[in-house]
């Protein structure tokens, strides 16, 4: 990242259930923030543009805007659909252009990335992964998503990582459950997201006793996901957030499963010894998304 331009920056967290729209300053401070529910695309996007315009009138002109969006999204800058939501089960949103209306309404650069890459960027810049250049940010909630930073930059590639849809090996006590992913059934999101836990046992984890086998099943799947990430992109830290991860007792269980699945093969203290600064909770908590959007705005301003 180059020097951060002076001034004010728009930050937008586009989520499947809510949008957060904010203006922040060059020091990473959010000055004004508004949230509203995600409804149909036309209503939501026009609400978004009006909201950001109002905030900009109140605070000052925007040097750039950053938008972290639910996915999948088109990130290839030379693609016709750049800035759009790709095929999504969310009704009406497939093909929605989310950056175009912002480009037309505000004459400033727009940074665009997945919500999880944005959160990873925020944790790297201001949160739990400031001291490492390679990290993964995972969210385990209504879905499972992951953003990755390699050498300080978000990974895109063919599309962008979709690590929540990898297939884990079945836990021995979970053979009969079909999974809930509309695309794959029993991928990780289908077996270990919040809705998957409820579909399997009728309750969320926080409603279950500490001895309930669901804890071990959940920890095993998330441990497998972390192990596969260690084996593929070799992150120096894994930040694990989202609603399900508010159950902090999962962390030691996941660390143990990671160790087990790696089988001693990765010769690094971080995973051999199950140290508690390798798989960690987000330090920015629920602010990671909107601060990530602000970081995207900084980077967009620095590109010009
Ligand atoms: Zn899936």
């Amino acid at each position: 990242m180059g020097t951060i331009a002076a001034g004010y920056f728009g930050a937008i967290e586009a989520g499947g259930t809510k949008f957060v729209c904010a203006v922040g300053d060059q020091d990473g401070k959010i000055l004004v923030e508004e949230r509203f529910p995600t409804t149909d695309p036309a209503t939501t996007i026009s609400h978004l543009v009006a909201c950001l315009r109002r905030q900009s009138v109140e605070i000052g002109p925007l040097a750039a805007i950053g938008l972290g969006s639910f996915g999948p999204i088109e990130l290839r800058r030379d693609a016709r659909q750049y800035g759009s939501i790709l095929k999504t089960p969310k009704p009406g949103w497939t093909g929605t252009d989310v950056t175009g209306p912002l480009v037309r309404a505000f004459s400033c650069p727009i940074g665009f990335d997945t919500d999880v890459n944005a959160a990873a960027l925020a944790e790297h810049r201001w949160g739990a992964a400031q001291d490492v250049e390679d990290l993964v940010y995972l969210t385990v909630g209504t879905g499972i998503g992951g953003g990755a930073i390699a050498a300080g930059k978000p990974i895109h590639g063919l599309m962008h990582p979709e690590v929540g849809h990898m297939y884990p090996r079945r836990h021995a006590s979970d053979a009969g459950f079909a999974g809930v992913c509309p695309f794959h059934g029993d991928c990780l999101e289908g077996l270990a997201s919040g809705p998957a836990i409820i579909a399997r046992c009728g309750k969320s984890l926080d409603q279950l006793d500490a001895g309930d086998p669901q804890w071990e099943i959940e920890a095993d799947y998330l441990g497998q996901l972390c192990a596969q990430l260690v084996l593929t992109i070799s992150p120096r830290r894994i930040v694990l957030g989202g609603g399900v991860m508010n159950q902090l007792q999962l962390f030691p269980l996941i660390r143990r499963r990671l160790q087990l699945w790696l089988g001693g093969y990765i010769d690094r203290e971080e995973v051999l010894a199950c140290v508690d600064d390798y798989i960690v909770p987000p330090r920015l908590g629920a602010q990671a998304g909107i601060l990530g959007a602000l970081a995207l705005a900084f980077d967009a301003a620095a590109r010009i």
Side-chain angles (χ1 to χ4, degrees), residues 14-194:
T17 54
K18 71 170 193 309
F19 269 54
V20 184
C21 179
V23 171
D25 66 16
Q26 69 217 48
D27 300 321
K29 185 164 185 269
I30 299 291
L31 303 170
V32 56
E33 181 181 299
E34 204 174 301
R35 38 193 72 209
F36 47 90
T38 307
T39 56
D40 66 279
T43 309
T44 310
I45 302 286
S46 68
H47 196 150
L48 172 66
V49 170
C51 177
L52 194 58
R53 192 174 275 140
R54 201 166 52 241
Q55 290 174 331
S56 171
V57 167
E58 182 191 339
I59 303 288
L62 304 177
I65 297 168
L67 170 58
S69 177
F70 73 92
I73 56 177
E74 180 58 85
L75 290 172
R76 294 173 303 172
R77 292 179 171 277
D78 57 349
R80 191 175 49 80
Q81 278 201 304
Y82 173 77
S84 295
I85 309 274
L86 299 174
K87 190 174 172 188
T88 171
K90 194 163 175 54
W93 282 84
T94 296
T96 297
D97 179 7
V98 282
T99 58
L102 295 168
V103 170
R104 289 188 286 279
F106 301 90
S107 302
C108 67
I110 314 269
F112 182 54
D113 214 317
T114 63
D115 47 3
V116 278
N117 266 346
L121 207 51
E123 289 292 339
H124 177 43
R125 210 153 287 180
W126 299 297
Q130 292 175 58
D131 55 328
V132 294
E133 288 288 286
D134 311 281
L135 68 125
V136 171
Y137 174 95
L138 292 173
T139 177
V140 185
T142 52
I144 297 183
I149 306 286
K153 288 192 160 46
I155 293 181
H156 292 168
L158 180 66
M159 192 169 78
H160 45 75
E162 285 282 357
V163 299
H165 295 276
M166 296 197 290
Y167 292 93
R169 187 183 291 181
R170 276 301 179 118
H171 189 277
S173 312
D174 192 34
F177 178 52
V180 300
C181 176
F183 293 97
H184 314 112
D186 60 352
C187 66
L188 278 155
E189 180 169 302
L191 293 175
S193 61

